[in-house]
Amino acid sequence: MRPRPLVPVLAAALAVVALQVAVTAAGREYYLTQTIMAAYYAVVALGLCLVMGYAGQISLGHAAFFSLGGYTSAVLTTADLTPLARSGWGGPLLRLHLLQARAGLYGGETIGANPWAAFGGALLLTFAVALLVGYPALRLKGHYLAMATLGFGLIVYRLLLGTNLTGAADGITGVPPWRLGFGLEISGDGAQRIANYYVAWGLVLFTILLLTHIVHSRAGRAFRALHGGETAANSMGINTAAYKLRAFVLSALLAAAAGSMLTHYSGGIGPSEASAMKSVRYVALVAAGGMANLWGVLVVSATLNFLSLRGCFGSYDDALFGALLIAIVSLAPEGPLQPLTAQGRRLWSRLAGHRVMTTPEGPAP
Amino acid sequence: MLRVRNLRCGYGSLHVIRGLSLHVDAGEIVALIGANGAGKTSLLKALVGLIPPVGGEIRIDGRDATGEPPWRAIANGVALVPEGRQIFADMTVMENLEVGGYRNPDRALPIADVLERFPRLRERAAQLAGTLSGGEQQMLALGRALAARPRLVLLDEPSMGLAPLMVQEVFRTIRALKEQGVTVFLVEQNAVAALQVADRAYVLETGEVILEGEAADLLRNPEVKRAYLGKGYKEVWE
C-alpha cells in the first residue's frame, strides 16, 4: 500500500497559509485576487488530470463544463424569479431557502435563486450533460475523442454567444455574493479577500485529497491499468468504458464547481470562459504538469495562470499556452518532469527489488 | 467447460473466424495451432468478448456467454493472458497482480499462491513491471491472470519472443496448472512444443478448423506441416 497523501496535503496547506501571511505582511494583498482565480482554474486542471493522466483520455471540452457551472449559477441567481415566487410554488421554495430576495437594480427587491440552490442546479445539469456527452464520446479513441469533445465545447461556446438568457457576447454581471455562513461569503468584496483566498485554496486541497485518494485506491489501479493497456485491463475484468465515463463525469463536476464559485467571486462570467482556447489551455497545463502527476499539474497551473492573470504574457497569452502544448507534445510527450521522475522511480524500484531479493537469502558468505 | 459452435467474427466486413466449432473439457490442456494470420489471436479475443461475434455461440459451463462484454469473462471464470503479455509496465509487479485480482475480493490468497509458484515475482514484487526480463514478464502475465483464480486460462502465444530455456519453463508451468485442476486453452505458433504439452489440439487455417484430434497423433500427422507451410509443400518436397 502506498503512503496516504495526508502529509503532502498538510504541507501544501501550510504553504498556502505562509503565502497569505507573506503577501499580507508585504502589504500586497491585491496579489491574492489573481491567486484566488488561479486556484479555481487549477481545480479544472486537476480534474482534467484524472481524465488525461490516469484514465488516458483527452478532453478538449473542459472549458465548456467550467462555463456550464458558472453560467448556471449566474443565470439562476440573477434572473428575476419574482413570478415564480408569487406562484403556488413560491411558498415552499422560499421556505426551503431555494429562492432569496436581493436588492433590485432600480431599487426595490427582486427574487432570485439561492446560490446554494443554483450551485446544486449547476452540478446536476453538468452531471447530466457530461453523461450525455461522455457516454458516446468515450467509445471513441485518440483524436476522435479529442474532436468530439472539441465539437461539444464549440457548441456550448456558440450557444452562450447566441442566447439572450446568457447575455450573449456580454455575458452576465451582477451575480450576487454567495453567503457560506459564519460571515463568510464568496464575493469580490475587498474585505472578504483573505476569506475567499482560503475558500478557493480549500477547494483545491479538497480536490487533490479526493483525487489522490481515488488514484491510490482499487479504482486508481483500474485507471492506471486502463492507461497501461485497455485490452489487458478489460481481460482482467475491469469495465474500462464505465471507468472512463466516471473519470470524465467527475472531472466535469469539478470544473463546474470551480466555474460556479469563480463566477460568484468575480461577480459575473463571459463567453470567453467557454472558448476552445481555454480548453486548450487546460490541456496544456495538464501536459506541462506531467500528465499523471497531480502535484505537478497543481504547481504548473497555479503558477502559469497566476502570471497570465497578472498580465505577464501580454497579448501573447494564448500563444504562450499553445506554444507550451506544442513544445511538450513534440519534445517531452510524457511531460517535462517525466524523464526525471521515471528515472527516479526505476532506480528506486531496482534498489527496492534488490533489497527484497537479498534479505531472504541473507548476506553472501 | 467451453463450447464454441459455428462462431463467426471479424473486423468490419472482414470475417477472420468463419464458422468455427471447438470444445474444451474441464481439466484438459487443449492447443490451437496454426500459421500466422490463421485467426488464432482473433479467436481468443472473441472468446472473452474483445471482438463481438457476428454469428454462432459461445457457451461457458453450459451458459450462453455470446456477446458479453470483455470484463464479464473473469466473472465467468475465464482469464486471458494476452498476446505480447501486455503487462502494466508503469506499475509494480505487486500492483499488476492486484489488478489481476481486481474482481476477486479475496485476492490476497491467489496472489500469495502466485508468489509461491513464481519466486522470481516475489523477489521483484516492488519493482516496476517494465524492468522485468521477457521471461519474467510472461510469468507476471500468467500470474496476473491466475490472481483472478480462473477455472479456464486462455494463453495467447506464451512462448513468443522467449529464450528456449524460458519456453521450457513456461510449458512446465502450464503442465503444473493442469495438475491443480485449471483448464488451459493454449494458442501457439510453436506447434511441436504446444502438442507436447497438450492433451488434444485443433489446427486452424484461415479461420477454420482443418484438423483436430489427440495431440500425440497430430504430432505425427503430415497434414499439420502442410497447414503451416502452405499448399505447395508436397510438390516442393517430393
Side-chain angles (χ1 to χ4, degrees), chain A residues 12-142:
Chain A
L14 279 179
V16 166
V17 174
L19 182 68
Q20 182 264 317
V21 170
V23 168
T24 306
R28 305 200 169 210
E29 240 168 53
Y30 50 85
Y31 276 134
L32 290 185
T33 301
Q34 289 82 29
T35 319
I36 293 164
M37 297 169 78
Y40 287 125
Y41 290 129
V43 170
V44 185
L46 284 174
L48 188 57
C49 176
L50 180 71
V51 172
M52 285 174 59
Y54 292 93
Q57 311 298 309
I58 192 164
S59 166
L60 276 168
H62 261 54
F65 289 120
F66 178 89
S67 2
L68 216 53
Y71 268 99
T72 309
S73 275
V75 168
L76 289 178
T77 53
T78 58
D80 187 0
L81 298 178
T82 318
L84 179 65
R86 293 212 178 111
S87 73
W89 292 98
L93 288 176
L94 279 165
R95 234 168 293 134
L96 287 169
H97 298 284
L98 292 177
L99 296 179
Q100 68 172 27
R102 68 190 146 81
L105 212 49
Y106 311 105
E109 266 195 343
T110 54
I111 292 179
N114 182 320
W116 283 105
F119 182 68
L123 292 188
L124 273 178
L125 179 68
T126 308
F127 180 75
V129 172
L131 270 184
L132 262 165
V133 172
Y135 187 75
L138 292 172
R139 265 141 226 278
L140 305 172
K141 280 185 182 147

Side-chain angles (χ1 to χ4, degrees), chain A residues 2 218 221-222 224-225 228-229 231-239 243 345-346 349-350 352-353 356-357 361, chain B residues 50 70-71 74 80 82 86 88 90-91 95 98-100 102-103 107 122-124 126-128 130-131 144-145:
Chain A
R2 288 152 160 270
R218 175 167 169 271
R221 278 201 300 273
R224 288 162 60 214
T231 307
N234 250 322
S235 39
M236 293 303 110
I238 296 169
N239 185 349
Y243 267 107
R345 277 189 75 189
R346 258 161 223 272
S349 93
R350 282 236 168 82
V356 179
M357 200 162 70
E361 292 149 14
Chain B
L50 285 164
W71 51 271
I74 287 275
L80 170 70
Q86 299 198 22
F88 305 118
D90 289 334
M91 298 169 82
E95 284 173 324
E98 282 169 348
V99 170
Y102 174 82
R103 289 261 158 204
R107 55 184 158 272
R122 183 196 299 281
E123 289 162 12
R124 300 183 184 276
Q127 206 167 311
L128 286 187
T131 62
R144 187 179 60 179

Side-chain angles (χ1 to χ4, degrees), chain A residues 183-231:
Chain A
L184 275 178
E185 61 178 43
I186 301 182
S187 75
D189 183 359
Q192 290 274 347
R193 188 145 52 195
I194 293 180
N196 266 285
Y197 172 81
Y198 283 110
V199 169
W201 282 93
L203 180 69
V204 170
L205 294 182
F206 165 77
T207 305
I208 215 158
L209 205 58
L210 175 75
L211 293 180
T212 23
H213 184 77
I214 291 175
V215 166
H216 288 156
S217 69
R218 175 167 169 271
R221 278 201 300 273
F223 279 131
R224 288 162 60 214
L226 159 62
H227 198 182
E230 211 168 325
T231 307

Side-chain angles (χ1 to χ4, degrees), chain A residues 283-337:
Chain A
V283 170
L285 289 171
V286 174
M291 296 299 264
N293 184 343
L294 290 166
W295 290 101
V297 169
L298 174 61
V299 170
V300 169
S301 72
T303 313
L304 287 183
N305 267 319
F306 175 78
L307 293 175
S308 158
L309 289 161
R310 289 292 311 166
C312 292
F313 309 132
S315 51
Y316 296 109
D317 206 43
D318 278 345
L320 177 106
F321 284 95
L324 181 69
L325 189 56
I326 292 171
I328 286 162
V329 167
S330 50
L331 300 177
E334 299 201 57
L337 307 170

